[in-house]
Amino acid sequence: MCSRHVGVRCAHRLLDQMPDRDPVSWNMAISALFRAGNCRAAQQLFDRMPWPNDVTWSAMIAGYSQNGRARESLLMFRNMRREAACTLTSCNVVAGVLSACTQSGELRFGAQVHGFAVKVSRYTEADAFVGGALVDMYGRCGCIGLARLAFDCMAERTVVAWSSLIANYVRKGDVLVAIDVLREMIQGGTEPNNVTLTTLISACSHIPFLSHGKELHAAVVRRSSRKPDVFVSTALIGMYSRWGSLSCAQNVFHMVGSHLGFWPTAIWNALIAGYVANDSLDGALKTFQYMCRSSNAGSQLSSVTMAIVLPICSGLVLLLHGEELHCYAIKHGMEKEIVVGNGLLHFYSKCGNIAFARKQFDMMAEKNTISWTTLIDGYGMQGDGRSAIKVFESMVRDANVKPDNITFVALVSACSHSGLVEEGLRYFEVMTREYGIIPTQENYGCLVDLLARSGNIDEAKKFIKKLPAEPTGNIWGALLGACRIHQNLDVAELAMQHLRQLERWGSGFQALLSNLYAEMDRRDGSVKMQQEMVEIGMPKRKGYSWLESKKDSAAVC
């Protein structure tokens, strides 16, 4: 208790009052101080200890490691080895040092500790903690083969060791190998825990094999005697949503509700995010509204919920809904969180209310690169390139915030939509010259749009030819869009040839070229483009207008 509230003075006073201060008392006090996060007090107490033993050194090494101070932990181990009377006899010392090597990425030092431990003991084989620490160290340091070898040498393979090996295969990108290890684990009689299942299910979202994910889902269902785990269920909803199987995601959602009698906020967030990921903004909004009406969830909106729902309101231009969320955030003190502040800033910018966006930005106590970039983009969407430039200059000079490539995408795009060609070219050069940012395809696309939109279509073509990488559809699409503005049919047809090779199926550029043909009285070309759209099965988009009332929003054709 003293270690948590008073610290070193209280611990010293208690030790001084003890008639017989044996090593056990010292070690207990040091460990308690580390558990309280008071590393400095623990070190001072250690310095006063007359004869530290192996348990003391172990407590110091493990204490620093558990508090995220890996370098001090390794330094303590080196000091321990210099003590002539001290030998490496504790498995806790080995496990603590290996954990510190994992945190600091000291693979070479960790391998030396491994070799020394093999020389003086059988901890690496017989002790489950040491074996698990070895597996984790080698895996996190990128030596997955050595991690597997250390795992195979273990006499007793705990669920922690299995989970560590699986997580390291996932981290390396070998998801299929990780699934094979899980099968091996189950066949060997070890039941996977929720951490293992969550790791693998989340990883299966990134592979194109639905069967593996369903196999993992079956492993979860077989544990039907237990209540559904929120993390596992959230991972399942995310996995099915990423595959576009919203019906399966809904089944998981309802299964959790039927077992628990309610839906935790994380489950709601996962399902809403799933709808958003599948471009079903209406479904996401209805789910959110149902969440608010639920008796147990109406007061459980989190900052994550706000970050998911606010882009929905901006995507559907639901100004009233977004303002209600803003009021909710203020009422519950969430507007101070940067993720919510950025969401509100993005919402007002996308809805065209740049004055409210600026007010929200000025009220934010904490701003990051995303905040500044969002405001720059907001001014750009309003065609106010000068204001976007002012924000950027204030960002790098006054606030000393480092921009990234997305910042320059927004800035050059703002210049493009405002006719500030020279400024846009200058900032494109500044991006690499002053900030060392390597341009991405998005940056190249913005520069092509800047040149072509201003009428410099030939220069845009020359720039595309000089690109270090193969131009993407984003770049050719920017050129095609500018050709429609300036009615340059020859270059538009050239851009369309490349777009057919890159984004043939449902890209929407056929409609753009069809409109250009129609505007230039080339009915034959327009009909040809429309026939091509029918052949590839691209649906004809209808125009919609959104009417928002106080009760609801409706789409009108």
Side-chain angles (χ1 to χ4, degrees):
M1 183 178 69
C2 287
S3 63
R4 187 175 299 275
H5 297 287
V6 181
V8 66
R9 292 182 180 179
C10 180
H12 285 181
R13 187 165 58 250
L14 283 177
L15 283 171
D16 291 339
Q17 292 173 358
M18 290 181 181
D20 185 16
R21 286 171 287 176
D22 57 359
V24 176
S25 303
W26 288 92
N27 294 337
M28 289 179 62
I30 290 173
S31 297
L33 287 167
F34 272 123
R35 284 196 298 272
N38 199 339
C39 299
R40 182 181 179 183
Q43 181 65 52
Q44 291 177 359
L45 207 60
F46 173 80
D47 294 337
R48 284 190 58 195
M49 188 173 179
W51 300 289
N53 57 18
D54 285 355
V55 177
T56 314
W57 288 104
S58 175
M60 294 297 296
I61 293 169
Y64 275 123
S65 178
Q66 291 164 4
N67 281 276
R69 300 175 64 170
R71 294 190 179 278
E72 288 89 339
S73 180
L74 296 179
L75 180 61
M76 189 60 60
F77 176 72
R78 291 188 177 98
N79 294 338
M80 172 186 171
R81 294 300 307 144
R82 294 193 190 100
E83 295 288 338
C86 189
T87 58
L88 183 62
T89 58
S90 172
C91 59
N92 293 329
V93 171
V94 181
V97 174
L98 291 174
S99 176
C101 292
T102 302
Q103 293 179 25
S104 60
E106 292 282 353
L107 175 62
R108 188 172 181 180
F109 189 79
Q112 291 175 355
V113 174
H114 183 190
F116 186 78
V118 170
K119 182 179 179 181
V120 301
S121 68
R122 294 190 67 252
Y123 292 143
T124 57
E125 300 174 6
D127 189 87
F129 291 104
V130 174
L134 273 174
V135 172
D136 196 44
M137 183 200 71
Y138 282 124
R140 287 182 178 272
C141 290
C143 299
I144 192 66
L146 293 176
R148 179 72 211 211
L149 184 61
F151 177 82
D152 292 337
C153 291
M154 293 177 64
E156 180 185 357
R157 299 166 186 172
T158 63
V159 65
V160 175
W162 283 103
S163 299
S164 177
L165 184 63
I166 290 171
N168 281 303
Y169 274 118
V170 170
R171 194 175 294 109
K172 189 175 180 291
D174 294 334
V175 180
L176 298 181
V177 178
I179 294 175
D180 289 337
V181 174
L182 178 68
R183 296 192 186 104
E184 183 183 347
M185 175 184 182
I186 296 174
Q187 292 170 0
T190 304
E191 184 179 2
N193 58 19
N194 292 329
V195 175
T196 309
L197 291 171
T198 302
T199 301
L200 268 178
I201 291 169
S202 300
C204 280
S205 302
H206 304 282
I207 61 174
F209 304 109
L210 182 61
S211 58
H212 293 300
K214 289 188 173 181
E215 181 183 351
L216 292 172
H217 191 178
V220 174
V221 172
R222 284 194 293 269
R223 298 151 53 95
S224 56
S225 58
R226 303 182 182 182
K227 289 184 178 180
D229 180 76
V230 174
F231 295 101
V232 174
S233 301
T234 301
L236 282 170
I237 293 174
M239 178 187 71
Y240 283 122
S241 299
R242 191 175 181 88
W243 284 333
S245 184
L246 287 175
S247 59
C248 292
Q250 292 169 347
N251 290 338
V252 175
F253 175 81
H254 292 301
M255 180 270 297
V256 173
S258 63
H259 280 78
L260 299 182
F262 67 97
W263 289 281
T265 304
I267 298 296
W268 286 104
N269 293 343
L271 187 61
I272 295 171
Y275 279 113
V276 174
N278 286 273
D279 295 325
S280 179
L281 299 185
D282 289 337
L285 187 61
K286 289 178 181 177
T287 303
F288 171 70
Q289 292 170 340
Y290 181 54
M291 174 185 181
C292 295
R293 289 194 299 266
S294 298
S295 59
N296 71 301
S299 60
Q300 293 184 4
L301 303 185
S302 65
S303 58
V304 177
T305 313
M306 302 287 287
I308 296 172
V309 177
L310 281 169
I312 301 173
C313 296
S314 60
L316 296 176
V317 200
L318 301 176
L319 187 60
L320 182 61
H321 284 75
E323 289 175 341
E324 289 174 349
L325 287 174
H326 193 174
C327 293
Y328 184 93
I330 294 174
K331 181 179 179 180
H332 293 84
M334 288 192 291
E335 84 283 0
K336 296 179 181 178
E337 298 186 37
I338 192 167
V339 64
V340 177
N342 286 339
L344 289 168
L345 177 58
H346 178 267
F347 161 72
Y348 285 120
S349 297
K350 286 291 186 180
C351 288
N353 197 333
I354 195 64
F356 270 58
R358 180 72 208 208
K359 186 177 180 180
Q360 168 63 26
F361 177 83
D362 293 336
M363 291 175 61
M364 291 174 64
E366 181 184 358
K367 304 178 183 71
N368 57 12
T369 305
I370 297 174
S371 312
W372 291 93
T373 302
T374 303
L375 186 61
I376 292 171
D377 189 47
Y379 279 117
M381 287 187 291
Q382 297 297 314
D384 190 355
R386 296 292 181 187
S387 295
I389 291 174
K390 289 180 181 179
V391 172
F392 175 79
E393 294 297 335
S394 177
M395 170 186 179
V396 297
R397 292 181 181 176
D398 302 334
N400 197 25
V401 176
K402 187 176 180 180
D404 56 18
N405 67 299
I406 303 300
T407 306
F408 283 99
V409 168
L411 183 59
V412 176
S413 178
C415 294
S416 174
H417 287 81
S418 305
L420 305 176
V421 181
E422 293 183 3
E423 289 85 348
L425 291 171
R426 178 167 58 85
Y427 281 115
F428 185 85
E429 294 177 357
V430 164
M431 175 178 63
T432 303
R433 186 179 68 248
E434 295 187 12
Y435 298 98
I437 299 174
I438 300 175
T440 63
Q441 293 285 352
E442 288 78 10
N443 294 114
Y444 290 133
C446 286
L447 191 66
V448 169
D449 183 68
L450 175 75
L451 293 171
R453 186 181 290 269
S454 62
N456 299 312
I457 294 179
D458 291 336
E459 290 186 27
K461 281 176 55 182
K462 294 177 182 178
F463 178 78
I464 293 175
K465 291 180 180 180
K466 296 179 181 179
L467 288 180
E470 188 69 22
T472 61
N474 175 52
I475 294 175
W476 289 112
L479 184 63
L480 177 59
C483 287
R484 182 187 175 186
I485 295 174
H486 297 284
Q487 295 192 337
N488 190 324
L489 189 56
D490 293 336
V491 178
E493 290 175 338
L494 173 66
M496 194 64 209
Q497 291 178 7
H498 291 279
L499 286 167
R500 283 195 182 96
Q501 300 173 2
L502 296 170
E503 301 183 14
R504 177 175 176 79
W505 303 109
S507 62
F509 293 118
Q510 289 87 351
L512 189 62
L513 184 58
S514 175
N515 292 333
L516 176 57
Y517 277 126
E519 291 169 0
M520 299 186 69
D521 294 329
R522 287 280 306 274
R523 302 297 301 174
D524 56 334
S526 179
V527 171
K528 183 179 179 181
M529 284 296 101
Q530 292 176 7
Q531 290 176 346
E532 183 176 324
M533 292 165 63
V534 173
E535 291 175 0
I536 65 177
M538 189 173 72
K540 185 177 181 180
R541 296 181 180 179
K542 297 180 179 179
Y544 289 90
S545 297
W546 282 96
L547 300 178
E548 185 179 15
S549 66
K550 291 185 178 181
K551 292 183 178 180
D552 203 352
S553 300
V556 181
C557 295

